């Protein structure tokens, strides 16, 4: 390339990219590339109405806005024209800063390793854009030059603090990494060259709102990533002697602009198209007749939304009333009217997200057109069978391997190749979207966990990119009631942002209190600019609509339920003997009562769910029931166990087995009652899993959760012939609640429950259940009243009205527990406010408020507060011959000491077991991981536990018993029970 530096000409020796290239790529080329790709993204991703809105905010026409914003995008890497960055390629730096004195910097400036080029962009652009005529405000955060500089300086995931005007005017004096003579001149030359080539001479007259900043930021980041790949750069890499004349820069940009739409299309970053027909009928989207809820939404919602509207739909209905299909219809209506380009379906757990993924895929195949790239999004999505292309006939990993696996062998589904383009996989995302978790929300369609969306309002890297990804989608949130105070507060903050972005939202809930409903709806309206609160009284079942344009909230529309029922409630007071392993049963003990309740299942057939509070109690209950009903235990599937402490792969297989045994009856299913089968499980069954049992038994839990679990009772219409004789009344499903009591007969949650549930909510729930015992609970008639009654502020006063010393004592006890609950709730909400980012109306031009909370945000805090177990064990099974394997049968040897390939990583992680952090030994006392594992993100936090076979499976058991040592405690593993600490 040219050795001559001309003060008013771009120096093409200044490089921008070099990794994977034969020689460095001129920075000016990269800046023009990103500007071109930004233009293509603007054309493809933004709805025309949204382009007009952004342009209007800046006082520009749509065409002018496209050019100006593309220019901004091109300036994102201007901070690479600095000594610390250029010095990363010593030969290029030496050629640049030779003996002619063109580039001057303070001594040692090139060694300022802490000076990042994105910070250089932020500091340098403030004065340069002011020189370019951009309007300046007395308040720096509201000054357009600073707003643009701060936005572009955040393109690596984090926005820096506002640069005070005096420092910005003399940036080189405060940031030695910027360099002095020559460096500033070249930054100006690059800026002016890109502006000329792109045609961005028009000066904006407005400012950037928080919502527009998020949208522009998202497009800038995506454009940078697309234009940074070696595959993009190599065809346009100029020769070493390329002078970079004005004509050559024009030609380079023209070619980049021609290529940009292709790279956007190949990455599958297009728009999903919703059905354009306004008077859309439900039957046109789904192959069945709608129920009352679905029909009402289909008939009324389009009129409320209007031609170009957006807003929030809140649906409250019992489990099994078709909320999912109602939500997808609402999404189609909102998506068409608002100009959204896709859908994200958020669920509470990874298991429920895995289940929803094929349903969203099926909906997309039938109903949607345009770009339909679909991603599964949660922390273990890449391990899920839902992403394995099973429908294409590919093999998947299994817990028990039929053949030995040698080192270096890859799964057919783990090669990293793009998915097939066959119709069955037309909605699956291609490789670019699947590389790294940060790109996921760029896909037009997604199904995943709610934490993926909530991370958008936490000060984590690229949270603003998540906000952008949600800004142009319909967000569907299932089980909106199922989150604690911390997550609920984050949900409020997310809804504020989505309201500001005018992004459509659908909230689904089976048990949402009126207070919570008002909080969520008001948050969305507040973000949209309507601060007056509203009083929401949800209809159950029913729905309402909050308009993002007018702020108006429709009256809740009550509809008939699909199957009105009355829960046949039995409240059994029991002495807690779950930990007792003695053969003799205690009078009134939980073990004996549970056996009595389940005897009809064992003797006459049918299915039952036993829902326990902790994993340990579920494991003990499973073992006790196997002893109580040995004949049933010997039958395959007679007694099952499902909880979170199985290896991930094994848990997937158990869940799939349960879906076959307890799921919705298929059209070819033979009539008749199902054979006797009992599922012992934890809370994981209460959310989104479509299970149907003849009997539901649950330990005491907050009333809303009990109603969720009861929804698994006689959920599907099987008819009298499809139920055992003791469960033929499908309209009166049985719910047995085991209430732990003390010697005085008062509710006494066992110590083993810890703080799984708030004790005041347990006492309140037990009191309400006692009132309903013998009457039953009408569903849906009683549900909303009961859910609200649990949280009633006058609850203790009503207890006192019963009179007597016992009532007074109970009221005093409940009052003390209520105070503790209120304090804990305030602490959780305060923590969420402190850790979360600022609401959109508080940003006021300072994007650094999107990258920081008042409390430090750590990965540990995020993991703990989002409810995940905090450790992962990997069991190493010692075989009789002395070898060590990752499976019980010795067919999957421990990978060698080299770096594991993708297939090996998948096999390893799929066999990890989530456990509480309290189980884990201190870091210095753990077995050493292979060195290559410590460099691998998915492996470096694993804790290795050697396991030794101590017994073969007992009668009725399918697996051996394995034991190991962990942090001074014995752990036991069997295929039926998972891992247990003894």
């Amino acid at each position: 390339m040219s050795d001559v530096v001309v003060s008013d000409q771009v120096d093409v020796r200044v490089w921008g990219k070099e990794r994977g290239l034969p020689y460095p790529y001129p920075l000016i080329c990269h800046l023009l590339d990103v500007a071109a790709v930004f233009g293509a993204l603007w054309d493809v991703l933004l709805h025309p109405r949204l382009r007009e809105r952004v342009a209007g905010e800046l006082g520009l026409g749509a065409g002018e806005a496209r050019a100006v914003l593309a220019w901004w995008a091109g300036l994102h890497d201007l901070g690479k024209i600095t000594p610390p960055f250029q010095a990363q390629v010593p030969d290029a730096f030496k050629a640049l800063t030779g003996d002619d004195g063109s580039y001057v910097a303070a001594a040692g400036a090139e060694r300022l390793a802490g000076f990042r080029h994105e910070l250089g962009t932020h500091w340098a652009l403030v004065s340069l854009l002011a020189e370019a005529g951009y309007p300046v405000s007395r308040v720096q955060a509201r000054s357009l030059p600073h707003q643009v500089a701060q936005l572009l300086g955040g393109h690596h995931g984090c926005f820096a603090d506002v640069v005070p005007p005096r420092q910005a005017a003399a940036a080189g004096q405060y940031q030695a990494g910027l360099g002095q003579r020559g460096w500033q001149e070249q930054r100006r030359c690059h800026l002016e060259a890109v502006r000329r080539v792109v045609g961005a001479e028009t000066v904006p007259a407005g400012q950037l709102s928080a919502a527009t900043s998020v949208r522009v930021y998202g497009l800038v980041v995506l454009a940078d990533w697309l234009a940074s790949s070696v595959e993009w750069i190599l065809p346009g890499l100029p020769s070493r002697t390329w002078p970079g004349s004005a004509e050559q820069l024009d030609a380079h940009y023209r070619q980049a602009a021609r290529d940009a739409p292709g790279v956007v299309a190949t990455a599958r970053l297009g728009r999903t198209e919703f059905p354009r027909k306004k008077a859309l009928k439900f039957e046109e989207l789904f192959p069945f007749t709608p129920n009352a809820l679905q029909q009402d939404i289909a008939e009324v919602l389009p009129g409320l939304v209007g031609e170009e509207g957006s807003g929030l739909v809140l649906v409250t209905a019992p489990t099994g009333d078709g909320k999912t299909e109602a939500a997808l219809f609402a999404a189609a209506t909102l998506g068409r009217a608002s100009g959204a380009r896709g859908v994200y379906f958020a669920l509470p757990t990874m298991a429920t997200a895995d289940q929803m993924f094929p349903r969203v895929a099926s909906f997309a195949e039938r109903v949607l057109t345009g770009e339909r790239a679909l991603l599964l999004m949660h922390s273990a999505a890449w391990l899920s069978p839902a992403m394995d292309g099973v429908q294409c006939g590919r093999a998947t990993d299994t817990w028990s391997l039929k053949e030995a696996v040698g080192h270096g062998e890859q799964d057919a589904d783990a090669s990293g190749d793009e998915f097939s383009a066959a119709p069955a996989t037309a909605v699956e995302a291609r490789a670019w979207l699947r590389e790294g978790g940060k790109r996921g929300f760029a896909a037009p369609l997604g199904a995943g966990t709610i934490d993926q969306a909530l991370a958008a309002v936490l000060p984590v890297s690229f949270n603003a990119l998540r906000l952008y990804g949600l800004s142009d989608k319909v967000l569907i949130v299932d089980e909106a009631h199922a989150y604690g105070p911390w997550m609920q507060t984050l949900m409020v903050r997310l809804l504020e942002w989505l309201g500001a972005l005018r992004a459509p939202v659908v909230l689904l809930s089976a048990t949402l209190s009126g207070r919570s409903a008002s909080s969520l709806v008001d948050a969305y309206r507040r973000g949209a600019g309507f601060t007056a609160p509203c009083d929401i009284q949800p209809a159950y079942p029913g729905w309402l609509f909050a308009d993002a344009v007018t702020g108006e909230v429709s009256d809740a529309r009550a509809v008939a339920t699909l199957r009105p029922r009355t829960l046949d409630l039995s409240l059994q007071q029991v002495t807690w003997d779950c930990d007792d392993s003695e053969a003799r049963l205690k009078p009134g003990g939980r073990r004996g009562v549970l056996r009595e309740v389940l005897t009809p299942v064992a003797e006459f057939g049918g299915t039952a769910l036993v829902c326990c509070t902790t994993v340990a109690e579920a494991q003990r209950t499973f073992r006790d029931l196997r002893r109580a009903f040995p004949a049933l235990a010997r039958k395959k599937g007679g007694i099952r166990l499902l909880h979170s402490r199985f290896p991930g792969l094994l848990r997937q297989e158990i869940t799939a087995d349960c879906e076959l045994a307890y799921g919705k009856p298929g059209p070819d299913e033979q009539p008749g009652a199902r054979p006797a089968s009992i599922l012992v499980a934890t809370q994981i069954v209460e959310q989104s899993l479509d299970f149907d049992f003849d009997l539901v038994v649950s330990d005491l839990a907050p009333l809303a959760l009990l109603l969720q679990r009861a929804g698994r009772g006689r959920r599907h219409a099987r008819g009298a012939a499809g139920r055992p004789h003791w469960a033929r009344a499908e309209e009166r499903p049985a719910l047995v609640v085991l209430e732990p009591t003390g010697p005085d007969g008062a509710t006494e949650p066992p110590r083993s429950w810890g703080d799984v549930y708030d004790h005041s909510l347990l006492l309140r729930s037990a009191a309400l259940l006692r009132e309903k015992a013998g009457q039953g609970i009408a569903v849906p008639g009683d549900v909303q009243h009961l859910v609200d009654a649990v949280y009633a502020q006058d609850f203790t006063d009503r207890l006192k009205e019963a009179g007597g010393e016992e009532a007074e004592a109970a009221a005093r006890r409940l009052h003390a527990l209520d105070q503790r609950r209120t304090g804990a709730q305030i602490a959780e909400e305060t923590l969420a406010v402190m850790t979360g980012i600022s609401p959109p109306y508080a940003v006021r031009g300072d994007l650094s408020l999107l990258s920081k909370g008042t409390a430090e945000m750590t990965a540990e805090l995020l993991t703990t507060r989002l409810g995940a177990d905090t450790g992962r064990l990997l069991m190493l099974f010692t075989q009789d011959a002395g070898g060590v394997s990752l499976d019980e049968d010795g067919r999957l040897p421990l990978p060698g000491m080299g770096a594991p390939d993708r297939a090996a990583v998948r096999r390893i992680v799929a066999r990890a077991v989530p456990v509480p952090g309290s189980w884990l030994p201190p870091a210095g006392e753990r077995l050493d991981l292979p060195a290559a594992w410590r460099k691998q993100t998915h492996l470096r936090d694993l804790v290795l536990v050697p396991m030794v076979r101590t017994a073969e499976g007992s009668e009725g058991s399918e697996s051996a018993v394995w034991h190991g040592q962990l942090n001074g405690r014995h752990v036991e593993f069997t295929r039926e029970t998972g891992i247990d600490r003894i």
Side-chain angles (χ1 to χ4, degrees), residues 448-463:
T449 48
I450 185 61
D451 64 291
Q452 297 292 316
L454 293 180
V457 292
L458 287 169
V460 295
S461 180
F462 289 103
N463 62 330

Side-chain angles (χ1 to χ4, degrees), residues 492 495-496 517-528 530-536 553:
V492 165
L495 289 173
E496 288 177 324
S518 297
S519 173
L520 297 175
V521 173
D522 276 345
Y524 185 83
R525 294 175 62 252
R526 191 163 54 247
F530 305 98
T531 56
C534 60
D535 182 21
I536 301 295
V553 181

Side-chain angles (χ1 to χ4, degrees), residues 412-446:
D413 61 327
S415 63
D417 292 338
E418 297 180 1
F419 282 171
S420 164
T425 58
V427 296
E428 291 170 345
R430 289 193 181 274
W432 190 88
L433 285 169
R434 297 173 65 195
E435 288 176 4
K438 298 182 181 69
R439 300 178 183 179
F441 277 111
L445 300 173

Side-chain angles (χ1 to χ4, degrees), residues 711-884:
R712 274 63 191 160
R714 306 179 200 174
R715 180 183 179 101
H716 297 298
R718 295 177 178 272
R723 305 280 179 192
H725 70 82
W726 53 268
R728 285 180 178 162
E730 289 198 314
E731 72 284 358
R732 292 191 65 88
L735 171 64
V736 179
V737 178
L738 306 178
E739 177 193 4
T741 56
D744 59 355
T747 307
E748 190 68 47
R751 302 176 83 179
S752 59
W753 288 9
D755 293 325
V756 174
Y757 301 126
D758 183 87
H759 286 200
S760 76
L761 293 182
L762 292 176
L763 268 61
R764 286 168 171 249
S765 298
L768 290 170
L769 290 173
R770 280 193 288 273
E771 293 177 7
K772 286 291 184 179
Q775 307 173 40
I777 298 175
V779 179
D782 292 338
V783 172
Q784 194 63 52
H785 166 73
L786 288 173
V787 170
D788 288 332
V790 170
Y791 296 95
Q793 294 183 350
D794 64 348
F795 198 99
T796 54
D797 295 335
R798 291 193 291 108
L799 276 182
K800 292 178 182 177
E801 291 173 2
E805 292 184 7
E806 289 185 3
E808 284 285 343
R812 286 194 300 272
R813 181 188 179 203
L814 183 57
H815 178 70
L817 291 172
D818 281 345
Q819 287 185 315
R820 189 179 77 170
R821 172 172 59 87
T822 301
Q825 180 174 333
I826 292 173
E828 290 277 300
E829 291 172 347
T830 302
L831 178 63
V833 170
M834 291 173 65
T835 54
I837 65 174
S838 293
Y841 46 80
V843 171
R844 298 187 180 93
D846 182 6
L847 294 180
S848 71
L849 297 178
L850 274 70
S851 294
K852 60 188 177 186
T854 55
E856 183 179 0
M857 188 70 231
T858 65
E860 180 181 3
L861 176 62
L862 178 62
T863 300
T864 302
R865 291 296 171 179
L866 289 179
D869 280 314
T870 55
R872 292 188 302 152
L873 305 183
L874 181 66
M875 294 178 288
L876 306 179
F877 297 97
T878 304
Q879 302 301 319
D880 294 339
V884 174

Side-chain angles (χ1 to χ4, degrees), residues 558-570:
V559 298
T561 186
L562 180 64
R563 294 173 61 204
R565 299 182 293 168
T566 298
L567 295 180
D568 192 356
L569 174 65
S570 174

